[in-house]
Amino acid sequence: MSYFATDSAFARVLSFTFRLWLRLRGLAVAILVLMLASIAADIAIPVITGRLVAAVAEGNTPWAAFATLLALGIVSVAAKILSYFCIIDLTVPTMRSAEAEAFAHIQRLPADWHANAFAGSTVRKITRGAWALDELGDVLLLALLPSVLILMGTIGTLTAFRWEVGLIALIGAVLFLSLSLVLTLKWVAPAARLANAQDSRVSGALADAITSNAVVRAHAGEAREDMRLQRVLDKWAHRTRRTWRRGTWSGLAQDASIWGLRAAVLGGALLTYTAGLADAGEIAFVVSALGMLDGYLRQIGNHVRTLQKAVNDAEELVDLMQVTPEQEVARLPAVALPERAGALAFAHVNYGYNGAPTPLFTDLDVDIPSGQKVGLVGRSGSGKTTFVKLIQRIHEVSDGTITLDGVDIARVPLAQLRRQIALVPQEPILFHRSLAENIAYARPGATEEDIHKAAKQAGAADFIARLAKGYGTEVGERGVKLSGGERQRVAIARAFLSDAPVLVMDEATSSLDSEAEERVAEAAERLMEGRTTLVIAHRLATVERMDRILVFDQGRIVEDDTPAALMGRKDGLYRALRQRQALAV
């Protein structure tokens, strides 16, 4: 990993952090003012200490200097405490905003991104990045900035004492800071970035296995999952150990350079004393200033290491925020859909998957009148699911247009477009929330009466009534507490409640037993009434009552007719597929 890549990471993370701080610029300014007051007091302490020692050595009263030291101490401590309260009020909203924005951003990322991302890793990136913002606020505003300013002020006071001593301190400080930055940016940070990436993979591996626990148990795969995680953890341990060791060696090098600076500054001061150019009070001032110089240089070294760690921790969150979301409106100006728009048309549509050598669809044309029930059939990979995803704009066409009631859907805001389309997937996904919340997800603000009506239409009201908590029953992660048929009926109730003019069904009965299939099929028939319906069929018997069937083969619609007409084609693909399934029964 190059220095410039690391430097770029610092720039991206700090720019992201400052953007969040600017929303609370009043607090940020207050923190800076308070820290400057504390810094000014700290810088003046060595000077007043030298005057106190000189007063004692010369037999003068030391009480004025003593009172001044106490006052400076009070100012320093009070300003620091107030700044700490301010940093709390700055950091908490900043972390909240970062997590909320990251969540909102991820919700709007393309389907391809979600298909290739581990949910556990994504959560880890967000939470680790949010806590890194807390650390960045502390180290930049309360630690690194004050330390640098006090260091500069202390070097200035040493220069006022003897310019030679001040020059030695300045050169030593510059060399120390350069060494700290080089070690941190070029040596420690690249290792830390790799360690963080592996840490995210650990979270992803854990979440993947835990959410698939039913499969693990069914195949007695516990030991295999243990070994798989062990391999991921071994790599994490190696990378983390390397990062921590580099940090330790970096700290050792910085400590050694501080001792060299201490010897040079103190030696120079003692030479001026032996030459009769300084008295005891001035040497006391140098010793006191050197103590501050030593302490703050050491702190700066630690702060730089902490800054590097915070930047690395926040880097994945910042990079996540740079991923391009789904295009809200691809072609301006935006156009609204007519109410109950249901007539679909594909005109010269081209589409291909990223990385695929050839496009899936080429010059695809098809018209589906409003209210028509259409079955989509064909071999696996022939384009049925992609056809539907293009209508939802989960994928965007490469060329051509798809229209709803004559309106190009590429110009329709995504939220409005998707409210026009109800989806009943083959494997419904439910939230770990109540049944009422899951059904009402299709229409925010739906009344209890609306929810009950939709459940009754979907044939779900009877089984819900038998549950102890009824509509308040939480269904478990992805709906695991319900049977397959019950999940399907909840999904159909959701679709009823949405009352969308276009309905997409992905063979909602293919994985059910005969009794559950019959109940779901009856609910699905009621749901299709009066809607433009697309049914992705895996079992061809389920589309016999469709108005029309589109037969896909390698991205082309090779047959388009009624079920009866297609069965009448002796060499037709639909008839061949139907007969093959009939023989397999």
Side-chain angles (χ1 to χ4, degrees):
M1 194 66 63
S2 70
Y3 166 80
F4 295 105
T6 304
D7 189 51
S8 174
F10 270 69
R12 294 197 311 275
V13 171
L14 294 181
S15 174
F16 177 77
T17 305
F18 293 154
R19 178 176 63 82
L20 293 175
W21 285 352
L22 281 174
R23 299 176 186 176
L24 298 166
R25 58 177 61 87
L27 278 170
V29 170
I31 292 167
L32 291 175
V33 170
L34 290 167
M35 291 310 302
L36 287 173
S38 178
I39 288 165
D42 287 344
I43 291 173
I45 286 174
V47 178
I48 303 303
T49 300
R51 292 180 182 175
L52 187 149
V53 172
V56 171
E58 296 169 3
N60 298 325
T61 178
W63 296 112
F66 177 71
T68 304
L69 280 176
L70 290 179
L72 290 173
I74 291 171
V75 170
S76 177
V77 171
K80 281 189 176 76
I81 292 297
L82 288 173
S83 68
Y84 295 160
F85 279 109
C86 289
I87 200 74
I88 292 171
D89 290 338
L90 175 70
T91 301
V92 172
T94 297
M95 293 173 65
R96 180 187 180 281
S97 295
E99 294 204 46
E101 288 181 20
F103 175 76
H105 185 75
I106 288 166
Q107 292 289 91
R108 291 157 179 80
L109 291 182
D112 288 345
W113 184 91
H114 284 280
N116 291 292
F118 275 119
S121 295
T122 302
V123 171
R124 179 66 175 143
K125 291 174 184 178
I126 294 173
T127 55
R128 185 174 58 219
W131 282 106
L133 293 176
D134 170 45
E135 204 161 28
L136 280 168
D138 289 347
V139 73
L140 287 174
L141 298 176
L142 301 184
L144 191 56
L145 176 63
S147 295
V148 170
L149 292 177
I150 290 175
L151 180 65
M152 294 171 60
T154 303
I155 291 174
T157 58
L158 285 171
T159 303
F161 160 67
R162 293 289 296 182
W163 71 267
E164 299 93 336
V165 175
L167 181 61
I168 292 171
L170 177 61
I171 293 172
V174 170
L175 291 175
F176 171 82
L177 294 175
S178 300
L179 177 66
S180 297
L181 289 172
V182 169
L183 287 173
T184 297
L185 297 179
K186 294 192 68 174
W187 198 45
V188 180
R193 178 181 291 110
L194 293 175
N196 280 343
Q198 192 63 23
D199 180 64
S200 295
R201 293 189 186 101
V202 170
S203 297
L206 285 168
D208 189 40
I210 291 171
T211 55
S212 304
N213 181 256
V215 177
V216 174
R217 291 201 316 273
H219 296 276
E222 291 88 349
R224 279 178 286 155
E225 292 303 316
D226 292 344
M227 292 299 297
R228 184 174 181 274
L229 179 63
Q230 190 61 50
R231 289 192 295 270
V232 178
L233 285 172
D234 286 345
K235 194 168 185 179
W236 168 84
H238 165 69
R239 290 185 173 183
T240 302
R241 186 182 298 112
R242 178 178 60 186
T243 301
W244 290 356
R245 284 178 174 173
R246 287 190 179 187
T248 302
W249 282 111
S250 174
L252 178 62
Q254 292 171 16
D255 285 346
S257 65
I258 284 179
W259 271 101
L261 174 62
R262 180 185 297 167
V265 172
L266 186 57
L270 291 174
L271 284 175
T272 61
Y273 176 76
T274 56
L277 300 175
D279 56 22
E282 290 172 320
I283 295 300
F285 153 68
V286 172
V287 171
S288 178
L290 182 59
M292 290 188 65
L293 186 69
D294 182 308
Y296 279 102
L297 276 176
R298 193 180 302 275
Q299 285 184 29
I300 288 174
N302 292 333
H303 298 333
V304 169
R305 289 195 292 272
T306 302
L307 178 62
Q308 164 263 312
K309 180 181 180 300
V311 167
N312 286 135
D313 286 349
E315 184 179 359
E316 288 185 318
L317 169 61
V318 174
D319 289 343
L320 194 62
M321 298 295 289
Q322 304 305 311
V323 181
T324 304
E326 287 183 302
Q327 193 67 34
E328 269 299 323
V329 179
R331 301 173 190 172
L332 297 176
V335 177
L337 283 171
E339 188 176 355
R340 308 298 298 174
L344 279 164
F346 281 59
H348 307 294
V349 168
N350 296 332
Y351 174 76
Y353 292 109
N354 288 333
T358 57
L360 176 63
F361 294 138
T362 302
D363 201 30
L364 181 66
D365 289 288
V366 64
D367 291 324
I368 299 175
S370 180
Q372 190 173 67
K373 299 175 181 62
V374 181
L376 310 179
V377 305
R379 300 183 181 94
S380 178
S382 60
K384 306 183 298 295
T385 301
T386 303
F387 181 84
V388 168
K389 288 184 175 180
L390 289 175
I391 296 170
Q392 297 171 288
R393 283 185 58 198
I394 291 174
H395 301 315
E396 298 284 359
V397 299
S398 306
D399 198 11
T401 58
I402 301 173
T403 61
L404 258 175
D405 277 12
V407 176
D408 184 356
I409 64 172
R411 297 178 60 183
V412 179
L414 284 173
Q416 184 188 15
L417 172 66
R418 290 174 183 171
R419 281 195 294 268
Q420 295 284 313
I421 304 168
L423 174 66
V424 181
Q426 185 177 1
E427 293 293 335
I429 297 174
L430 305 183
F431 296 100
H432 184 22
R433 302 170 192 173
S434 71
L435 280 163
E437 288 177 287
N438 273 286
I439 295 172
Y441 202 79
R443 193 204 301 171
T447 65
E448 186 176 332
E449 182 182 352
D450 293 333
I451 295 169
H452 290 191
K453 180 181 177 182
K456 185 176 181 179
Q457 290 173 310
D462 290 342
F463 89 79
I464 294 175
R466 291 193 297 269
L467 298 173
K469 295 184 179 179
Y471 287 87
T473 303
E474 292 193 345
V475 301
E477 189 172 13
R478 300 173 72 88
V480 295
K481 293 182 181 180
L482 304 180
S483 69
E486 289 168 344
R487 287 198 297 273
Q488 283 289 7
R489 279 175 276 169
V490 171
I492 290 174
R494 185 187 286 169
F496 266 116
L497 192 61
S498 74
D499 194 28
V502 179
L503 170 65
V504 175
M505 300 191 73
D506 187 356
E507 192 63 274
T509 63
S510 63
S511 60
L512 305 179
D513 60 63
S514 57
E515 183 179 351
E517 178 180 358
E518 183 179 353
R519 292 178 179 176
V520 171
E522 290 174 356
E525 286 289 339
R526 291 193 295 271
L527 179 60
M528 291 180 196
E529 292 176 6
R531 307 178 202 278
T532 304
T533 304
L534 305 176
V535 177
I536 300 174
H538 307 284
R539 293 191 298 180
L540 302 186
T542 61
V543 293
E544 288 181 342
R545 287 183 289 182
M546 296 289 105
D547 300 324
R548 174 185 179 191
I549 293 176
L550 303 180
V551 184
F552 287 79
D553 187 37
Q554 298 181 352
R556 295 180 301 114
I557 297 176
V558 294
E559 295 177 10
D560 177 2
D561 214 326
T562 65
L566 292 178
M567 284 299 294
R569 298 183 184 183
K570 293 184 178 180
D571 298 324
L573 177 59
Y574 175 77
R575 176 171 173 163
L577 293 173
R578 185 76 177 86
Q579 290 175 337
R580 190 176 305 153
Q581 284 192 358
L583 291 172
V585 175

